[in-house]
Amino acid sequence: MAVVRVIQEFPDELEADLLEFFGVDFLDLWRGRLSIRRVGVLIQSLMSKPGRSTLLMAMDERSTWSEHTYMLARISDALELSNFLFLKANAAEEDSRDLEIPPPIPRPGEPEPQAAPEREFSDAHELSDFFGRLNSL
């Protein structure tokens, strides 16, 4: 992303991050004590701070979580699914009917997962008709 565009679109977030992480006053750019090149270098450094940089969070909502948080959510989803499968496999038939697949933890910046469409199974007559047509080929 171009430095000038970042300065124009996210001046408050950039100013806050420059001061917090580097102790650099953003106003030094207009005072002649800070170059555009240096601001670009500092912005590149801010891009490696997901979950902490207000600039990065303003630019991309997904960066509000760090890599560790995404890994924890993935582990949690896997454990939930594992528990569901265990219960489904070991519960009595009438008890396991009410079990639903647990929804994944919502991630920032990603659309809500859509529920899987209800599957329709063929009845015995449709299956017999299908295999009868296959047999006549």
Side-chain angles (χ1 to χ4, degrees):
M1 177 170 275
V3 176
V4 175
R5 186 170 161 219
V6 172
I7 291 171
Q8 289 174 340
E9 292 182 20
F10 308 102
D12 296 337
E13 294 86 355
L14 180 60
E15 181 176 4
D17 280 354
L18 289 178
L19 196 56
E20 179 182 351
F21 292 108
F22 309 112
V24 172
D25 188 0
F26 187 50
L27 293 176
D28 283 347
L29 182 63
W30 285 270
R31 295 178 188 135
R33 292 182 258 178
L34 185 63
S35 69
I36 291 285
R37 188 198 74 75
R38 183 155 187 226
V39 172
V41 169
L42 296 176
I43 289 172
Q44 288 293 55
S45 177
L46 288 172
M47 296 298 170
S48 67
K49 299 180 183 338
R52 297 173 36 208
S53 168
T54 55
L55 173 66
L56 199 53
M57 285 187 255
M59 292 171 68
D60 185 6
E61 186 181 349
R62 292 174 296 176
S63 66
T64 56
W65 279 13
S66 67
E67 290 179 24
H68 295 27
T69 309
Y70 276 103
M71 292 297 285
L72 286 172
R74 192 165 179 202
I75 291 168
S76 175
D77 290 344
L79 284 172
E80 291 273 337
L81 183 60
S82 175
N83 289 339
F84 165 78
L85 293 173
F86 177 80
L87 290 173
K88 191 82 170 166
N90 294 306
E93 178 70 30
E94 56 275 352
D95 294 337
S96 67
R97 287 185 193 143
D98 297 334
L99 292 176
E100 295 181 10
I101 296 176
I105 294 174
R107 272 64 166 181
E110 293 183 8
E112 290 291 321
Q114 300 296 326
E118 193 65 34
R119 293 184 184 169
E120 290 186 25
F121 294 102
S122 300
D123 61 9
H125 178 69
E126 290 174 326
L127 283 173
S128 173
D129 187 41
F130 173 76
F131 286 120
R133 280 184 279 145
L134 276 178
N135 199 20
S136 65
L137 291 178

